[in-house]
């Protein structure tokens, strides 16, 4: 039985700021608003450098404030978030640069629809403290965390024994170690299920993305790492599961379309009808599940290690991987070098936990510098 909180009614259109509006998440969010004008209104936009696309979206929706970060800078973006009257900020920014916009959203009294997993990976306790302080909600947009969020709402947090996150396995799911050593960035960018940006697509291929999601799940749902599991599910129809204390599994199923979790976050606390394609059993289908291969995809195991060690290890994991992915895309390191760089960064002492956002940024900077140094040593 769903809690009564989900029965509240939206009486006015929700005013939304869309960050990263020209990326895959942002475009999906814009499409939802476009097709549900009775429910939503865009009152602010941002993009990093795609000027033409940003201007096109702004023109379509009545010219709300639109920040091109590459030209106006991060401070202008934070000011827009603080000053614009909005109900919710959808953060679809990629990477660590999404952290301070998440902070600004909560501090300015807005709910946060969060697709930027680095916000929680880098500063989960600090962000959740802001959520509590200002009485604002963090609504996960990742399909896996959206599924878990809704399952926990339905069955109650006290009933949950463990969380099981599904992973597509990416384009190299069946590759052995020898074959993985020869793959290129072009190979890794060919995801079999999802259409995403370059960074998250590479992370999906290496299972680093699932590692980041493990950390995010631990911090969003107060679960220790040994109670957050991963299962490979190539069809991407089951978006995650919970196991209740009586041993029974409950899953959320839908088409692999990010508009489903985005719509869920934007309509919270309601379940609203929409025009998105529903998953149907009218056509025969098969679902496959298999355990992840930690030896061949070591970044997943490194993420678990970072989550267990806590301190600033998760910050270091994210920063090292982010730098390594950029180097891989530039052809400077191999695919297996992604894990090598990250593992070597994690060998340093990251035991001190950040007490402020300044501490988070400092740890992130130090981890990146370490990763750059390691990569220079790998380049022949």
């Amino acid at each position: 039985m769903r809690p009564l909180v989900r029965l509240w009614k939206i009486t006015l259109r929700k005013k939304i700021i869309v960050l990263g509006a020209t990326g895959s998440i942002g475009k999906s969010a814009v499409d939802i608003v476009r097709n549900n004008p009775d429910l939503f209104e865009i009152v602010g936009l941002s993009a990093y450098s795609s000027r033409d696309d940003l201007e096109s979206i702004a023109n379509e929706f009545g010219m709300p404030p639109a920040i091109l970060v590459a030209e106006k800078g991060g401070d202008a973006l934070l000011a827009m978030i603080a000053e614009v009257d909005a109900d919710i900020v959808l953060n679809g920014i990629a990477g660590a640069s999404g952290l301070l916009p998440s902070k600004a959203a909560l501090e300015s009294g807005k709910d946060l629809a969060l697709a930027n997993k680095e916000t929680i990976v880098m500063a989960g306790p600090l962000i959740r403290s802001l959520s509590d302080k200002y009485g604002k909600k963090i609504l996960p947009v990742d399909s896996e965390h959206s599924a878990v969020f809704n399952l926990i709402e339905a069955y109650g947090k006290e009933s949950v024994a463990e969380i099981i996150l599904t992973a597509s396995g990416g384009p190299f799911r069946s590759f052995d170690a020898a074959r993985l050593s020869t793959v290129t960035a072009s190979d890794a960018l060919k995801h079999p299920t999802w259409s995403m940006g370059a960074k998250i697509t590479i992370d999906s291929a290496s299972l680093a993305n699932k590692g980041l999601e493990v950390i995010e799940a631990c911090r969003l749902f107060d679960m220790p790492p040994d109670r957050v599991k991963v299962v490979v599910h190539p069809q991407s129809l089951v978006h995650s599961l919970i196991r209740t204390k009586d041993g029974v599994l409950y899953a959320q199923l839908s088409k692999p379309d990010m508009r489903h979790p985005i719509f869920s976050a934007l309509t919270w606390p309601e379940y609203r009808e929409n025009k998105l394609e529903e998953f149907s059993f009218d056509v025969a289908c098969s679902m496959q599940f298999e355990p992840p291969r930690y030896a061949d995809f070591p970044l997943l195991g490194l993420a678990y290690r970072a989550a267990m060690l806590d301190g600033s290890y998760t910050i270091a994991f994210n920063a090292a991987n982010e730098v390594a992915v950029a180097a891989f895309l530039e052809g400077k390191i191999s695919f297996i070098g992604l894990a090598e760089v990250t593992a070597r960064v994690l060998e340093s002492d990251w035991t001190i936990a950040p007490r402020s956002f300044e501490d988070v940024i400092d740890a992130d900077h130090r981890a990146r510098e370490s990763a750059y140094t390691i990569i220079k040593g790998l380049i022949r």
Side-chain angles (χ1 to χ4, degrees):
M1 181 176 179
R2 296 186 186 120
L4 292 177
V5 68
R6 293 290 292 203
L7 301 179
W8 296 347
K9 295 296 180 185
I10 298 173
T11 56
L12 298 173
R13 290 192 303 168
K14 279 192 177 180
K15 293 177 285 187
I16 303 169
I17 297 174
V18 181
L19 308 182
T22 62
S24 60
I25 294 293
K27 287 179 178 178
S28 293
V30 168
D31 186 64
I32 286 172
V33 176
R34 180 182 295 121
N35 287 290
N36 296 275
D38 56 324
L39 296 179
F40 310 117
E41 174 186 2
I42 290 178
V43 295
L45 295 161
S46 83
Y48 182 70
S49 60
S50 301
R51 172 195 289 274
D52 291 346
D53 288 345
L54 183 65
E55 289 181 350
S56 176
I57 297 169
N59 286 333
E60 179 182 355
F61 290 95
M63 294 301 294
I67 302 296
L68 193 68
V69 178
E71 292 184 4
K72 295 188 178 180
D75 288 345
L77 174 60
L78 299 181
M80 185 269 283
I81 295 169
E83 294 167 6
V84 169
D85 179 25
D87 299 301
I88 188 167
V89 175
L90 187 142
N91 188 348
I93 297 172
S97 57
L99 172 60
L100 293 183
S102 291
K103 174 176 179 283
L106 294 171
E107 286 181 333
S108 60
K110 302 170 179 70
D111 287 330
L112 176 62
L114 188 59
N116 176 264
K117 58 179 61 66
E118 290 82 1
T119 291
I120 300 298
V121 170
M122 296 173 67
L126 294 171
I127 285 291
R128 289 192 60 188
S129 177
L130 285 181
S131 172
D132 293 340
K133 178 179 178 180
Y134 293 99
K136 296 288 108 178
K137 197 75 173 177
I138 299 172
L139 300 159
V141 168
D142 274 346
S143 62
E144 297 83 358
H145 300 87
S146 174
V148 173
F149 176 86
N150 282 286
L151 288 165
I152 288 177
E153 277 214 322
Y155 291 95
K157 184 176 177 180
E158 69 284 351
S159 302
V160 179
E162 65 180 18
I163 291 168
I164 303 171
L165 304 176
T166 52
S168 71
F172 308 141
R173 179 176 60 85
S174 62
F175 286 25
D176 59 21
R179 199 173 172 194
L180 285 170
S181 67
T182 65
V183 300
T184 66
S186 177
D187 298 327
L189 289 170
K190 297 172 183 175
H191 196 281
T193 308
W194 297 96
S195 175
M196 306 175 290
K199 164 63 165 58
I200 192 172
T201 304
I202 299 299
D203 282 350
S204 180
S206 70
L207 292 193
N209 186 57
K210 203 53 51 179
L212 292 168
E213 290 176 359
V214 166
I215 297 168
E216 187 179 9
C218 291
R219 293 185 165 180
L220 274 177
F221 305 116
D222 297 314
M223 284 286 179
D226 63 351
R227 291 172 59 192
V228 178
K229 308 293 176 60
V230 172
V231 63
V232 175
H233 168 51
Q235 294 79 21
S236 298
L237 294 171
V238 175
H239 297 289
S240 277
L241 310 93
I242 59 169
R243 190 188 304 276
T244 49
K245 290 178 179 178
D246 58 1
V248 175
L249 291 172
Y250 296 91
Q252 186 199 67
L253 286 77
S254 67
K255 288 279 190 177
D257 182 342
M258 282 304 300
R259 291 176 298 173
H260 284 291
I262 293 170
F263 188 86
S264 177
L266 294 181
T267 57
W268 187 90
E270 290 188 90
Y271 292 106
R272 295 296 296 249
E273 293 183 2
N274 60 68
K275 298 178 182 178
L276 299 175
E277 184 181 1
E278 296 180 347
F279 174 67
S280 172
F281 289 106
D282 291 340
V283 178
C285 71
S286 298
M287 297 188 196
Q288 178 181 356
F289 301 91
E290 58 193 48
R293 290 159 37 221
Y294 289 92
D296 292 331
F297 297 92
L299 279 162
L300 180 55
L302 289 171
Y304 270 104
R305 177 172 178 264
M308 288 186 286
L309 291 171
D310 207 15
S312 294
Y313 280 92
T314 60
I315 301 171
F317 173 87
N318 178 72
N321 176 66
E322 203 165 296
V323 171
V325 167
F328 174 61
L329 288 168
E330 294 169 4
K332 294 179 180 178
I333 63 172
S334 67
F335 183 75
I336 60 175
L338 296 169
E340 181 178 355
V341 170
T342 305
R344 289 177 61 181
V345 169
L346 290 177
E347 289 172 359
S348 297
D349 184 357
W350 302 99
T351 53
I352 298 176
R355 300 180 62 182
S356 66
F357 285 93
E358 290 75 18
D359 290 345
V360 171
I361 293 168
D362 177 66
D364 176 76
H365 177 75
R366 289 187 289 110
R368 288 172 190 273
E369 289 301 314
S370 176
Y372 290 132
T373 300
I374 291 166
I375 288 168
K376 286 180 183 178
L378 294 176
I379 298 172
R380 298 290 183 261

